[in-house]
């Protein structure tokens, strides 16, 4: 299902993306570098040639033909390239990458989680989406995380059966392959099954994430056995195998995803959630959840229309609620539509971006929830009329005071300052993962999948090799603003609000580029800032991803990465009234771009999360 072609809308400052892409392609052969937020002059691109399957080498950028893959992990990107080389399409490869990430990035993705899948069909020139978000048990109500009328401490809620939603990832893989794939589930799971059986090389990022979860993992014997081999943290350079997950993938390949939703795996998931298998010697209280086999059987993926807005002559498509990503990115872009971001100084550019994000988050927090339960005004939130009514709040000489009150997208006025109390943005776990894929036919996938926070609930399903999510902690435990309706309270079978923002951008109905990122609520600002860097500030995609980030989410303080924290820009923005706090790392984006000569460019992080992995089928720099 896809939206019909939108009605004509106001266009300003149209930017020809092929010109920018050609610049990026030309820079591939130069030795120049760039830094900061100035329009990039060049980038030290690597060749992108994939290494042998047993030892793939990471590169943040690759150009060539036959299709492209960008993810955070080289083994996962190689799995997608393997499928593309064998004639699979972008959907087949995306599922293969996601399954491999379940092996090498098990704290961020896997069978026990969920996510959102955005697909561009080269034949029909349409964008479609799948909502594979986890759901609360059918028995859940608004008091899910309350004890004696008070909200549970967040850490107690996370590491419990209460936090576990019905997984959506296996159903997403199945729905995507049925809708757009050309290969069966068993075939596309084969690279990940092999990787789980043979093992992968532990890097510093994996060891650090394991260390961050060590205390939790030790309290659950199945987690300790898998992630703390021999009772110790895995050493950098060692090989970590997951034979249980290999068997789970093999079972899914033979029986389909019914193995997870109706078979023995389903019963194991339910047993684990309802009686978390805590080490008897542990003092941890892991509260049981109420997930049932009925919840698993009742789960379904939503195929729905994407969000859409125009920006600088481009068509920007994202994921609709239950995620807030598509509506919030669209609203912020619409707020900035009439702003000349390409010609202003860097401080003014960042100021306007931060203020647009602040306002969009104010509206997101008030209006977005699961549309099966809430009347989410998607058309209003993504309309230019509403954005214009909010853009007037931005001044180049002053900073808005957070939390900014929300506007009413159902009744936009000439200048809507908002009414009632502003709703701050609740915490969301930041360790998700994103992959972007394109194939030789021109199909594109942007897919973000997650367990919520690093390590999810911390609970591994015994004998199955995967962690369970803690996505239900993305619900508001109590109303964020007392006395104001909160659309993100728990409910029976309800999907918690997400910030996941897989995005595909078209020009004249053809792919210009696609991108996405992990990072909890910072996903939205990462995608927005990367898009603005690329389109308005004319940075090649890999530089737009690498540029230092700022994240404003209707909070008193804006988060800054070190590259901005240590710069003169911070002082310029503080002089305007901005308040900042340091965040060592925001997001870990990936993207793909179609170049004018028909080549694909894949781009990933240079350093964040240990650096990403960009690959193409046939490198041609």
């Amino acid at each position: 299902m896809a939206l019909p072609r939108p009605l004509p809308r106001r266009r300003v400052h149209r930017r020809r993306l092929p010109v920018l892409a050609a610049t990026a392609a030309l820079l591939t052969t130069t030795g120049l570098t760039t830094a900061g937020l100035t329009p990039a002059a060049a980038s030290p691109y690597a060749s992108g040639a994939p290494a042998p399957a047993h030892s793939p080498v990471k590169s943040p950028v690759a150009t060539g033909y036959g299709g492209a893959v960008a993810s955070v992990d080289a083994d996962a990107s190689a799995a997608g390239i393997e499928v593309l080389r064998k004639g699979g399409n972008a959907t087949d490869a995306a599922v293969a990458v996601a399954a491999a990430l379940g092996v090498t990035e098990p704290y961020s993705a896997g069978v026990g989680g969920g996510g959102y899948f955005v697909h561009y069909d080269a034949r029909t020139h349409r964008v479609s989406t799948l909502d594979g978000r986890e759901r609360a048990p059918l028995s859940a109500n608004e008091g899910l995380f309350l004890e004696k009328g008070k909200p549970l401490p967040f850490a107690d809620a996370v590491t419990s059966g209460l936090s576990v939603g019905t997984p959506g990832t296996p159903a997403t893989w199945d729905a995507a392959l049925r809708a757009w794939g050309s290969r069966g589930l068993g075939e596309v799971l084969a690279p990940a099954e092999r990787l789980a059986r043979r093992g992968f090389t532990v890097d510093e990022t994996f060891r650090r994430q394991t260390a961050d979860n060590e205390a939790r993992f030790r309290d659950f014997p199945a987690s300790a056995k898998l992630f703390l081999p021999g009772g110790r943290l895995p050493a950098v350079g060692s090989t970590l195998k997951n034979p249980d997950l290999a068997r789970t993938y093999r079972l899914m390949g033979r029986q389909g995803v019914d193995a997870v939703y109706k078979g023995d795996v389903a019963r194991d998931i339910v047993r684990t959630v309802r009686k978390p298998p805590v080490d008897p010697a542990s003092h941890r209280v892991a509260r049981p959840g109420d997930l049932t086999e009925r919840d698993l059987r009742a789960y379904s993926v939503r195929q729905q229309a994407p969000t859409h807005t125009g920006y600088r002559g481009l068509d920007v498509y994202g994921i609709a609620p239950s995620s807030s990503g598509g509506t919030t990115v669209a609203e912020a872009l619409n707020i900035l539509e009439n702003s000349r971001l390409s010609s202003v100084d860097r401080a003014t550019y960042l100021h306007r971006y931060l203020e647009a994000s602040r306002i969009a988050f104010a509206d997101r927090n008030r209006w977005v929830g699961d549309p099966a339960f809430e009347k989410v005004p998607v058309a209003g939130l993504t309309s230019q009329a509403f954005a214009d009514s909010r853009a007037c709040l931005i001044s180049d000489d002053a900073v808005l005071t957070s939390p900014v009150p929300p506007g009413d997208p159902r009744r936009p006025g000439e200048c809507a300052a908002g009414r009632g109390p502003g709703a701050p943005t609740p915490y969301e776990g930041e360790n998700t993962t994103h992959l972007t894929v394109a194939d030789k036919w021109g199909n594109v996938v942007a897919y973000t999948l997650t367990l919520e926070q690093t390590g999810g609930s911390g609970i591994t399903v015994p004998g199955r090799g995967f962690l369970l999510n803690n996505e239900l902690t993305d619900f508001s435990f109590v109303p964020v603003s007392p006395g104001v309706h909160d659309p993100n309270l728990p409910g029976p079978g309800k999907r918690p609000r997400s910030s996941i923002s897989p995005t595909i951008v078209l020009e004249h109905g053809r792919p210009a580029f696609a991108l996405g990122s992990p990072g909890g609520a910072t996903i939205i600002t990462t995608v927005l800032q990367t898009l603005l860097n690329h389109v308005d500030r004319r940075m090649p995609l890999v530089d737009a991803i690498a540029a230092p980030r700022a994240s404003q989410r209707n909070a008193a303080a804006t988060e800054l990465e070190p590259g901005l924290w240590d710069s003169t820009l911070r002082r310029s923005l503080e002089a305007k009234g901005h308040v900042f706090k340091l965040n060592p790392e925001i997001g870990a984006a990936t993207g793909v771009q179609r170049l004018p000569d028909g080549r694909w460019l894949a781009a990933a992080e240079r350093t964040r999360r240990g650096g990403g992995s960009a690959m193409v089928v046939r490198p041609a720099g």
Side-chain angles (χ1 to χ4, degrees):
M1 178 170 59
L3 287 176
R5 191 69 179 167
L7 295 173
R9 51 179 287 134
R10 183 168 65 249
R11 306 290 194 193
V12 279
H13 307 312
R14 183 180 183 86
R15 181 165 304 287
R16 298 286 297 175
L17 257 290
V19 174
L20 176 60
T23 301
L26 175 63
L27 298 176
T28 305
T29 62
T30 72
L32 303 177
T33 60
T34 185
L37 290 174
T38 54
S43 170
Y45 291 177
S47 67
H54 65 277
S55 182
V57 175
K58 277 189 174 182
S59 172
V61 66
T63 56
Y65 300 99
V69 178
S71 80
V72 75
D73 180 76
D75 286 304
S77 294
I81 292 295
E82 177 182 334
V83 169
L84 292 175
R85 282 189 175 136
K86 292 180 178 179
N89 63 23
T91 295
D92 304 322
V95 174
V97 176
L101 288 169
V103 180
T104 61
E105 293 283 309
Y107 308 150
S108 301
V111 173
Y116 298 89
F117 193 103
V118 180
H119 176 267
Y120 169 79
D121 190 311
R123 183 179 59 84
T124 63
H125 309 301
R126 290 184 177 273
V127 177
S128 304
T129 74
L130 297 174
D131 179 334
R133 182 67 156 158
E134 301 88 339
R135 291 174 55 187
L138 295 170
S139 61
N141 56 40
E142 291 186 359
L144 179 65
F145 291 111
L146 302 181
E147 282 190 357
K148 298 180 180 180
K150 295 183 178 181
L152 283 172
F154 189 77
D156 291 349
V158 166
T159 310
S160 75
L162 286 174
S163 71
V164 181
T166 306
T169 291
T172 302
W173 296 349
D174 182 65
L177 291 172
R178 290 177 184 274
W180 308 297
S182 66
R183 300 291 188 269
L185 182 62
E187 184 174 347
V188 299
L189 291 182
E193 179 191 334
R194 183 177 65 244
L195 184 62
R197 186 174 66 253
R198 296 179 181 176
F200 67 95
T201 302
V202 172
D203 61 12
E204 291 182 2
T205 300
F206 186 87
R207 179 183 166 86
R208 183 177 65 251
Q209 291 178 344
T210 307
D212 291 342
N213 282 282
E214 183 177 4
R216 291 201 304 159
F217 288 169
R218 289 194 183 280
D219 289 340
F220 299 98
S223 297
K225 178 183 177 182
L226 177 56
F227 300 119
L228 301 170
R232 297 182 298 274
L233 289 171
V236 173
S238 65
T239 298
L240 190 72
K241 299 179 181 181
N242 192 339
D244 287 344
L245 183 57
R247 285 189 289 270
T248 298
Y249 280 161
R250 190 180 312 119
L251 184 66
M252 291 171 61
R254 292 172 179 170
Q255 298 182 6
V257 298
D258 278 355
V260 176
Y261 293 98
K262 297 179 181 179
D264 291 341
V265 180
R267 286 186 283 274
D268 288 346
I269 291 172
V270 169
R271 185 182 304 113
T272 303
V273 171
R274 297 181 71 86
K275 190 176 180 180
V278 180
D279 187 327
S282 169
H283 297 292
R284 183 178 296 278
V285 176
R287 291 164 175 80
D290 197 33
L291 193 73
T292 67
E293 291 182 47
R294 179 189 173 206
D295 291 309
L296 288 163
R297 290 194 303 270
Y299 185 85
S300 62
V301 169
R302 285 189 194 138
Q303 185 170 353
Q304 59 189 21
T307 59
H308 170 264
T309 194
Y311 186 70
R312 309 288 194 238
L314 305 170
D315 290 298
V316 182
Y317 292 92
I319 190 74
S322 58
S323 181
S324 62
T327 57
T328 311
V329 169
E331 181 182 349
L333 289 174
N334 289 339
I335 289 171
L336 295 168
E337 177 75 54
N338 292 315
S339 182
R340 292 180 175 272
L341 297 182
S342 62
S343 58
V344 297
D345 62 84
R346 292 180 293 167
T348 301
Y349 160 60
L350 277 173
H351 169 74
R352 292 180 186 176
Y353 149 67
L354 293 174
E355 294 294 84
S357 179
R358 190 190 308 268
I359 294 167
F361 263 90
D363 301 325
R364 170 253 197 203
N365 296 345
R366 170 63 183 86
W367 296 106
V368 180
D370 184 344
F373 292 78
E374 307 290 336
K375 292 183 178 179
V376 185
V378 173
L381 287 168
T382 59
S383 72
Q384 191 64 48
F386 179 58
D388 289 345
S389 77
R390 302 288 275 160
C392 64
L393 303 178
I394 299 176
S395 167
D396 282 346
D397 302 319
V399 174
L400 292 167
T401 300
S402 287
V404 172
D408 190 341
R410 302 166 303 180
R411 292 180 288 274
E414 289 187 6
C415 187
R419 295 181 179 179
T425 301
Y427 172 78
E428 293 179 33
E430 296 188 355
N431 264 57
T432 300
T433 193
H434 178 80
L435 62 98
T436 323
V437 180
D439 64 30
K440 63 183 179 182
W441 297 283
N443 303 299
V444 177
V445 171
Y447 180 22
T448 314
L449 57 160
T450 181
L451 297 180
E452 207 273 339
Q453 73 170 46
T454 309
S457 65
I459 305 171
T460 298
V461 180
R464 299 301 181 181
F466 60 86
L467 286 157
L468 292 171
N469 68 83
N470 67 292
E471 292 295 349
L472 300 189
T473 59
D474 276 352
F475 282 123
S476 303
F477 289 16
V478 294
V480 174
S481 298
V484 178
H485 175 69
D486 188 329
N488 193 41
L489 291 172
K494 191 174 183 180
R495 288 165 157 89
R497 181 174 62 208
S498 172
S499 295
I500 286 175
S501 309
T503 302
I504 294 178
V505 180
L506 306 184
E507 186 171 32
H508 304 307
R510 310 281 178 167
F513 61 96
L515 73 158
S517 176
T522 70
I523 293 172
I524 292 169
T525 58
T526 296
V527 169
L528 175 62
Q529 188 176 1
T530 303
L531 191 151
L532 296 174
N533 286 344
H534 186 48
V535 174
D536 286 299
R537 302 300 282 183
R538 305 188 67 185
M539 293 184 183
L541 188 57
V542 70
D543 292 344
I545 288 171
R549 294 183 183 133
S551 181
Q552 168 52 241
R553 307 185 300 280
N554 201 23
T558 294
E559 295 177 11
L560 290 186
E561 287 188 324
L564 287 171
W565 180 267
D566 297 331
S567 74
T568 57
L569 277 175
R570 175 164 70 96
R571 291 187 286 276
S572 297
L573 291 166
E574 285 173 338
K576 292 178 180 287
H578 287 277
V579 177
F580 297 110
K581 64 179 180 180
L582 182 63
N583 185 331
E585 186 174 275
I586 299 174
T590 72
V592 297
Q593 180 183 14
R594 193 63 182 259
L595 300 179
D597 59 7
R599 290 179 300 159
W600 284 105
L601 181 147
E605 297 285 358
R606 289 201 180 100
T607 58
R608 295 182 185 97
R609 292 270 288 267
S613 171
M615 296 183 182
V616 293
V617 174
R618 298 194 308 279

